[in-house]
Amino acid sequence: MKSIDQAKKHNIGLGTAPLGNMFRDVPEKEAEETISNAWEQGIRYFDTAPFYGAGLAEIRVGKVLSGKNRDDYVISTKVGRYMKEATEEKDGLFEHGRDNEVITDYSEEATRKSIEQSLERLQTDRLDMVFVHDVSPDFHGDAWVEKFDQARKGAFKVLDEMRDEGTIRGWGLGVNTTTPIELVMELEDVNPDVCLSATQYTLLQHERALERMMPLAEEKGVDIVVGSPYNSGVLLGGDHFNYEEADEEILDHVRQLKEIADKHDVHLKAAALQFSTAHPAVSSIIPGSTRPDRIEEDLEMMQADIPEDFWKELVSKGFISEKAPLPKS
């Protein structure tokens, strides 16, 4: 599905999980400025989800984009969760989000309810891409297979119908592991167009994706959107890896990467963004931020010159798989 091409610039969009108050309470002004600055820098693809702060990220995106021409931008959001008016005590990733009770449900009825709520929060009459969210072992443990089956009978069918009717432009999975994406691409009774793979095709972690997910995506003509290209920030000096506290092994790995990058006068952010977008299956990359000035920096890093010797050293020392397509110098 190449329908998001006209809305992209430099293969980059804005991921809005941080704007759902992930890890911290983001002031409204800061969130609004981040989205507005992304627009001013030419970003026209915005990814969000009900899960991000119990609808908070969608509300913030809708507030800014409602003043724009709807034909000028692309929105992807997710199904698998919907909100209730009742409240609950929050903890974990989005403990600073809204206090609405979040229900996880991949059935047909819940999928339609989720989309209806997202349209209201986003202040729009249509969605472009819809991802079935977190139907994956990292969220559901061994029960993920049961959840996947529920989605197959419910969400997948609904989204296929909506796409065929023209209500949405495309759909797929949005998950943090590779197996569910591989599985949905191999199904004969549904036809996903695009999948969001977070944390799995990055400078820090990509071997598993190269084994089956990326070759299957090319074979089936399914676009891959790369989310969390910095693995929750650890690649840029943060202390979270894949949404959890980074252990010493990961931190040491990043330190070694940075030493090589410094030797070649390369910024790790530039390397991370350019590596993830070099694969032909990748349609777009959606780094998230709550800092308005980071958007301009991301765009600059996408265009930064990186010497071929840098990539060669990473391959020779085993930091990058020999199977990975490398950015052109």
Side-chain angles (χ1 to χ4, degrees):
M1 177 188 131
K2 301 301 180 184
S3 62
I4 66 172
D5 286 355
Q6 74 253 30
K8 296 182 304 179
K9 183 174 182 178
H10 308 308
N11 297 94
I12 193 167
L14 179 67
T16 65
L19 299 177
N21 285 357
M22 185 169 68
F23 301 131
R24 72 182 182 95
D25 190 355
V26 180
E28 283 297 320
K29 183 179 180 182
E30 186 178 322
E32 185 173 338
E33 288 178 352
T34 297
I35 300 166
S36 296
N37 193 52
W39 181 274
E40 291 168 7
Q41 295 299 323
I43 299 294
R44 295 295 182 269
Y45 172 31
F46 301 84
D47 175 74
T48 189
F51 183 50
Y52 303 159
L56 179 60
E58 287 185 320
I59 290 170
R60 287 170 162 174
V61 169
K63 181 180 179 182
V64 175
L65 296 187
S66 63
K68 312 297 184 185
N69 185 330
R70 183 62 184 87
D71 293 331
D72 289 345
Y73 62 89
V74 160
I75 288 180
S76 60
T77 192
K78 305 177 181 73
V79 296
R81 298 182 178 92
Y82 66 88
M83 305 303 120
K84 296 183 73 172
E85 291 296 329
T87 62
E88 61 184 0
E89 188 173 341
K90 301 292 182 177
D91 58 15
L93 289 177
F94 296 104
E95 63 178 303
H96 302 292
R98 299 197 309 159
D99 61 1
N100 293 73
E101 183 180 355
V102 180
I103 304 298
T104 299
D105 190 334
Y106 299 97
S107 68
E108 177 179 349
E109 181 181 2
T111 298
R112 295 187 186 280
K113 183 180 294 186
S114 177
I115 288 176
E116 181 181 331
Q117 290 181 352
S118 289
L119 288 170
E120 183 177 350
R121 287 190 291 266
L122 288 164
Q123 300 184 52
T124 184
D125 61 352
R126 65 187 188 273
L127 301 171
D128 298 290
M129 295 171 289
V130 177
F131 299 117
V132 182
H133 204 190
D134 293 331
V135 58
S136 176
D138 60 314
F139 268 86
H140 302 296
D142 292 341
W144 84 270
V145 176
E146 179 184 341
K147 298 293 185 183
F148 188 95
D149 189 55
Q150 183 189 45
R152 181 177 183 174
K153 296 172 182 175
F156 297 177
K157 299 289 188 182
V158 170
L159 296 175
D160 248 356
E161 291 172 7
M162 287 185 167
R163 192 242 349 261
D164 295 344
E165 293 166 356
T167 307
I168 63 175
R169 293 164 68 183
W171 73 274
L173 298 192
V175 293
N176 304 324
T177 60
T178 61
T179 301
I181 292 177
E182 295 161 8
L183 186 56
V184 77
M185 288 192 290
E186 292 179 317
L187 294 177
E188 296 182 357
D189 56 339
V190 295
N191 300 285
D193 311 274
V194 53
C195 287
L196 196 169
S197 176
T199 73
Q200 296 298 301
Y201 194 73
T202 70
L203 188 64
L204 192 58
Q205 180 170 274
H206 55 269
E207 294 272 6
R208 178 69 181 86
L210 284 168
E211 289 177 16
R212 295 191 69 245
M213 185 180 77
M214 302 306 263
L216 261 177
E218 289 187 277
E219 176 188 336
K220 301 290 186 179
V222 173
D223 286 352
I224 298 294
V225 174
V226 173
S228 194
Y230 315 131
N231 295 95
S232 303
V234 72
L235 261 172
L236 305 183
D239 54 7
H240 285 88
F241 169 70
N242 294 358
Y243 310 111
E244 297 181 353
E245 189 172 343
D247 61 28
E248 189 54 39
E249 182 180 355
I250 291 295
L251 294 174
D252 184 59
H253 189 107
V254 173
R255 280 193 289 268
Q256 292 179 65
L257 280 173
K258 190 171 188 314
E259 286 176 6
I260 297 172
D262 288 346
K263 184 172 76 171
H264 292 276
D265 196 25
V266 170
H267 198 298
L268 268 185
K269 175 181 275 194
L273 292 171
Q274 293 187 34
F275 173 81
S276 292
T277 52
H279 198 290
V282 174
S283 175
S284 187
I285 190 168
I286 48 170
S289 179
T290 59
R291 307 294 190 188
D293 59 330
R294 296 283 170 80
I295 310 301
E296 185 174 4
E297 181 181 84
D298 287 348
L299 291 170
E300 290 175 354
M301 292 296 174
M302 286 288 286
Q303 302 301 312
D305 291 328
I306 298 179
E308 187 177 350
D309 286 346
F310 168 74
W311 301 115
K312 286 182 176 179
E313 182 169 350
L314 290 186
V315 173
S316 69
K317 292 184 175 178
F319 287 98
I320 290 181
S321 169
E322 294 180 352
K323 299 178 182 178
L326 298 176
K328 298 286 192 293
S329 300

